[in-house]
Amino acid sequence: GAGVSQSPRYKVAKRGQDVALRCDPISGHVSLFWYQQALGQGPEFLTYFQNEAQLDKSGLPSDRFFAERPEGSVSTLKIQRTQQEDSAVYLCASSLARQENTEAFFGQGTRLTVV
Amino acid sequence: AQKITQTQPGMFVQEKEAVTLDCTYDTSDPSYGLFWYKQPSSGEMIFLIYQGSYDQQNATEGRYSLNFQKARKSANLVISASQLGDSAMYFCAMRGHTGNQFYFGTGTSLTVIP
């Protein structure tokens, strides 16, 4: 596709349910990022992939959060046993390269609401 | 530690006027990139402009320009000839030497008044 695609756009989960959020990056982009954005805040880093390798997961808030990118393209962010504090917009971004001079392109996000 | 600071939670500008959105940063990386993103109410983050830490000239992209002052560690965004469609949240971001993440500020909400 032309841009980064995320699905679903909206997800409502009951507390304790597991959810899976999908990100389809721009074709050929090496870098893939996941961010969490609370209402009225800036995006907070969750994790980073270079191709299929998860090089940085320092932002994952707990072991309930898990991300993968097995073939170096599509990525899935999984949240187990969702809690109310997980309610946020989850943004995925991809970048052509890892260098600091390369911009990232973002998807429209998945708005997760835990009830 | 890497940090981006945006001290203006909200800004107003008259249509067709210019506006400056402030951004300061802190890093110990030898090289880094500075970026501005626009986030309309629809939620998507839209890339606007990039400035490299070694670039001698300020970046420009159409109505957007970046006032880069390396010694002061500031990277202010200037929007000229504001339009109603410029009303949005604006985020300053930095990508460090490792390239592993973008560090974002808290954003500035810009409202363009007709």
Side-chain angles (χ1 to χ4, degrees):
Chain A
V4 178
S5 178
Q6 291 187 247
S7 62
R9 287 292 314 279
Y10 304 92
K11 177 70 178 178
V12 178
K14 290 186 177 179
R15 190 168 49 183
Q17 275 187 333
D18 297 349
V19 298
L21 312 181
R22 177 189 169 103
C23 173
D24 202 337
I26 295 172
S27 179
H29 277 199
V30 165
S31 297
L32 187 144
F33 309 82
W34 282 99
Y35 281 82
Q36 182 189 59
Q37 187 175 24
L39 192 63
Q41 303 294 317
E44 294 287 338
F45 172 76
L46 293 176
T47 189
Y48 167 74
F49 289 87
Q50 181 173 301
N51 296 308
E52 70 279 2
Q54 189 175 20
L55 297 187
D56 191 336
K57 52 182 181 179
S58 61
L60 295 176
S62 77
D63 58 7
R64 296 186 296 104
F65 286 71
F66 172 77
E68 59 183 5
R69 193 186 185 196
E71 297 178 359
S73 55
V74 172
S75 177
T76 304
L77 176 67
K78 297 179 179 177
I79 309 174
Q80 297 177 324
R81 305 180 303 282
T82 52
Q83 305 293 317
Q84 280 194 314
E85 61 263 28
D86 300 335
S87 295
V89 175
Y90 290 86
L91 295 169
C92 176
S94 71
S95 176
L96 183 61
R98 190 179 176 185
Q99 284 79 13
E100 71 269 14
N101 63 350
T102 312
E103 69 270 29
F105 296 91
F106 283 78
Q108 290 191 298
T110 294
R111 182 178 296 277
L112 174 65
T113 303
V114 182
V115 298
Chain B
Q2 323 270 17
K3 187 175 181 181
I4 295 285
T5 302
Q6 294 181 255
T7 57
Q8 306 156 314
M11 291 282 287
F12 292 86
V13 64
Q14 205 75 36
E15 194 178 6
K16 300 180 185 176
E17 298 293 312
V19 63
T20 298
L21 307 183
D22 294 343
C23 172
T24 58
Y25 62 92
D26 192 17
T27 182
S28 56
D29 281 1
S31 64
Y32 47 90
L34 296 160
F35 303 80
W36 278 90
Y37 284 85
K38 172 184 179 182
Q39 189 175 44
S41 55
S42 59
E44 187 173 0
M45 298 280 279
I46 302 167
F47 166 70
L48 295 178
I49 194 168
Y50 158 80
Q51 177 82 44
S53 59
Y54 285 109
D55 292 344
Q56 296 295 317
Q57 289 191 318
N58 287 339
T60 61
E61 285 288 347
R63 295 187 298 111
Y64 304 109
S65 60
L66 204 153
N67 183 0
F68 179 47
Q69 297 188 49
K70 192 171 182 177
R72 294 186 177 184
K73 293 190 174 179
S74 74
N76 298 340
L77 177 70
V78 180
I79 305 174
S80 63
S82 296
Q83 301 172 356
L84 296 178
D86 293 335
S87 293
M89 283 290 290
Y90 288 81
F91 290 96
C92 179
M94 178 174 63
R95 189 173 190 179
H97 187 59
T98 66
N100 285 3
Q101 60 175 287
F102 287 76
Y103 300 86
F104 284 86
T106 51
T108 295
S109 176
L110 177 67
T111 302
V112 180
I113 303 166

